Amino acid sequence: MKKLADEIQQMQDKAQKDLQAKQEVVFGPIEKKLNDAVEKVSKANGYEYVMDANSPAFLYKAGTDATAAVKKELGIQ
């Protein structure tokens, strides 16, 4: 029974690693495009910091919202 549990755990670990690798392949280009657009908008508007409003990281809400400019740079509405 222990051997079977170990095999199942190994298969789960491999599946998790495979999933992470596939996510990196799929989302990598999207993330790069988004980061490039944020960087371009930031430089054009003189922003030193751009925070993700969905992140628990520090966020100053009274600042300028760059969302519309980044969406425009990406060509989305």
Side-chain angles (χ1 to χ4, degrees):
M1 196 61 140
K2 170 81 169 114
K3 182 179 177 182
L4 182 59
D6 289 344
E7 288 177 13
I8 291 171
Q9 184 62 47
Q10 288 174 353
M11 286 190 288
Q12 287 176 330
D13 292 344
K14 184 182 181 319
Q16 183 65 33
K17 288 178 184 176
D18 290 346
L19 176 63
Q20 287 174 339
K22 289 186 187 302
Q23 285 177 328
E24 288 177 20
V25 168
V26 172
F27 290 115
I30 297 168
E31 186 176 3
K32 181 180 181 339
K33 186 174 181 179
L34 176 61
N35 287 336
D36 290 348
V38 169
E39 183 177 349
K40 185 173 181 179
V41 168
S42 298
K43 286 181 179 180
N45 291 289
Y47 301 151
E48 291 188 37
Y49 298 96
V50 176
M51 304 292 182
D52 180 352
N54 296 318
S55 170
F58 174 77
L59 180 66
Y60 181 63
K61 292 188 180 215
T64 304
D65 186 350
T67 303
V70 171
K71 284 178 148 183
K72 183 178 177 183
E73 179 63 32
L74 290 169
I76 58 176
Q77 295 182 12

